[in-house]
Amino acid sequence: MSPAARAGSAEEILAVEHIHVQLGAHMVLDDVSFAIRAGEFTGLIGANGAGKTTLFRVVLGLTPASGGAVRVAGGARSRRNPLIGYVPQKFLLDPDMPLRARDLVALGIDAHRFGIARPSRARRERAEQMLAAVDALEFAERRVGLLSGGEQQRVLIAHALIGRPRLLLADEPLANLDLRSAEEVVALLARIAREQRIAVLISAHEINPLLPVMDRVVYLAAGRAVSGSADEVVRSDVLSRLYGHHVDVLHVHGRVIVVAGAGEDLAGHELRFPEAESGA
């Protein structure tokens, strides 16, 4: 079944409807709307300051919207919603902290509850199953602080998924990963979306690592958004309207390059600034 046909027959998991977020005089998000269905892998693309993390915080119920609504699986958003799994942008652990990968994943079972549950065979089996799902069993006994960036991402994804959410938010999970690790994380998230019918929304600065598996893109710029398939969104006319000035979109050897004038920070894909390349 094609992605379009799959999406048409799937349940809508996340609906963002005309969201506005204003902080003081600054409009962070300006009438942002899009929807994601079960099993869809969606890229949230934008430069630093475009509003990606703010949008995640609105969906998580951590930042109030000035207007609009968010629905998760048909219900209103709420804080500590067990239907949402979250992989944070930054997760720092002391290498000497005696916390194994297996332990961190198990903690996700009670992420939406207060207190610490007693160990049990059922909890151990659930952690084992989730570690296997993200191909992390081989380092399950190692300290999380000693794992590589790619290995830590797998553990954090397992931690977020062990509560069986319907929606997974991954905030810049490819940052600071080498190319191979980034490709592996993207492939893993796409497989989980497809096999477990979870709606996955992943934020990133660059669209190219996501292109092979992405069903939909939400492109943020200056607080505004446009969404659709990559072919529908990543076009000169669409991005020019979004940014309010001319933008060129080039396709070179299977990669997308967004070209703007000097000083512009589009940071949605692989950027090329002509003046900088010519040595000016």
Side-chain angles (χ1 to χ4, degrees):
M1 181 182 295
S2 68
R6 209 168 51 237
S9 62
E11 176 189 1
E12 187 175 85
I13 300 300
L14 174 64
V16 175
E17 302 171 343
H18 306 291
I19 287 296
H20 293 78
V21 174
Q22 184 165 350
L23 301 177
H26 179 50
M27 184 67 73
V28 182
L29 297 176
D30 184 5
D31 196 24
V32 172
S33 296
F34 63 91
I36 306 175
R37 297 182 178 274
E40 278 191 338
F41 181 96
T42 301
L44 176 64
I45 307 299
N48 285 330
K52 301 189 301 296
T53 297
T54 299
L55 179 57
F56 273 6
R57 289 181 59 84
V58 169
V59 174
L60 290 165
L62 300 175
T63 294
S66 309
V70 173
R71 291 182 290 109
V72 178
R77 69 166 185 175
S78 61
R79 296 188 66 173
R80 305 181 68 84
N81 190 331
L83 298 179
I84 304 176
Y86 177 58
V87 181
Q89 183 175 3
K90 295 181 180 179
F91 188 84
L92 301 176
L93 276 177
D94 187 331
D96 294 326
M97 181 179 293
L99 181 68
R100 302 174 301 171
R102 183 187 306 279
D103 300 327
L104 178 58
V105 172
L107 288 174
I109 297 175
D110 303 299
H112 299 280
R113 305 171 189 160
F114 293 102
I116 299 177
R118 298 177 62 182
S120 69
R121 179 177 179 180
R123 290 171 62 85
R124 288 194 299 272
E125 290 178 350
R126 281 183 64 184
E128 191 87 1
Q129 292 169 359
M130 194 51 58
L131 286 162
V134 300
D135 301 324
L137 279 175
E138 62 182 284
F139 47 83
E141 300 299 327
R142 291 172 55 191
R143 291 183 178 181
V144 180
L146 297 178
L147 300 178
S148 69
E151 290 169 342
Q152 285 189 355
Q153 282 299 328
R154 289 177 181 271
V155 173
L156 290 173
I157 292 167
H159 170 87
L161 291 175
I162 198 168
R164 300 188 179 96
R166 304 290 308 281
L167 169 67
L168 178 66
L169 305 179
D171 194 359
E172 297 281 1
L174 309 184
N176 303 318
L177 295 185
D178 58 53
L179 179 60
R180 179 177 178 182
S181 296
E183 290 175 345
E184 290 175 348
V185 169
V186 169
L188 171 64
L189 288 171
R191 174 169 60 82
I192 287 171
R194 185 172 59 251
E195 294 178 353
Q196 301 189 24
R197 306 300 294 159
I198 293 173
V200 173
L201 180 61
I202 170 176
S203 70
H205 286 90
E206 186 185 345
I207 198 172
N208 286 304
L210 312 181
L211 280 175
V213 297
M214 189 169 58
D215 298 304
R216 181 180 301 275
V217 58
V218 178
Y219 198 117
L220 275 176
R224 297 183 295 127
V226 60
S227 67
S229 68
D231 289 340
E232 293 169 336
V233 170
V234 189
R235 297 170 17 189
S236 178
D237 58 333
V238 174
L239 294 185
S240 293
R241 286 196 300 270
L242 183 65
Y243 280 96
H245 57 76
H246 183 73
V247 173
D248 287 314
V249 176
L250 308 178
H251 296 265
V252 181
H253 301 302
R255 297 183 69 80
V256 174
I257 301 174
V258 177
V259 182
E264 293 292 342
D265 182 12
L266 301 193
H269 316 304
E270 183 173 326
L271 304 187
R272 291 294 182 268
F273 300 144
E275 289 81 355
E277 290 184 339
S278 64

